[in-house]
Amino acid sequence: MVSNRSPEGKQPHNDAQITITISSIMEFIRSRRGAAKLCNEGFSYTKKKETKSTIRWECSQRRSDNCKGTVTSENPVS
């Protein structure tokens, strides 16, 4: 299961979490500094928080482009 908020930062008026099933391929890579990154459909996400059951990823352009996109994946990712 992956939940995703729009990378453009657009959210429903009630700020409800949107759950979608992604049929495209997600790619896991390492940044230049060795941190885990998730790549999906032209967007990249950096690992923000990890719990026993989930990993929260934030858009890599969060600071430079004020991107609000997030992804929550199962931990471990299957």
Side-chain angles (χ1 to χ4, degrees):
M1 177 186 89
V2 175
S3 68
N4 188 350
R5 285 197 169 166
S6 168
E8 297 85 22
K10 296 178 184 173
Q11 300 175 11
H13 291 283
N14 63 2
D15 199 29
Q17 186 173 15
I18 300 169
T19 302
I20 60 171
T21 302
I22 297 177
S23 59
S24 62
I25 297 172
M26 293 189 300
E27 181 179 11
F28 296 90
I29 61 172
R30 294 276 174 195
S31 70
R32 291 183 203 148
R33 296 181 178 182
K37 289 186 100 171
L38 169 82
C39 297
N40 181 264
E41 296 191 11
F43 297 98
S44 64
Y45 303 86
T46 54
K47 189 189 298 187
K48 181 66 176 178
K49 183 178 180 180
E50 185 172 354
T51 67
K52 287 183 180 182
S53 60
T54 63
I55 302 173
R56 178 179 164 93
W57 306 83
E58 291 185 344
C59 180
S60 297
Q61 303 301 314
R62 188 166 190 87
R63 292 187 180 169
S64 62
D65 292 342
N66 198 28
C67 178
K68 304 290 186 205
T70 63
V71 174
T72 302
S73 64
E74 293 176 347
N75 188 14
V77 177
S78 52

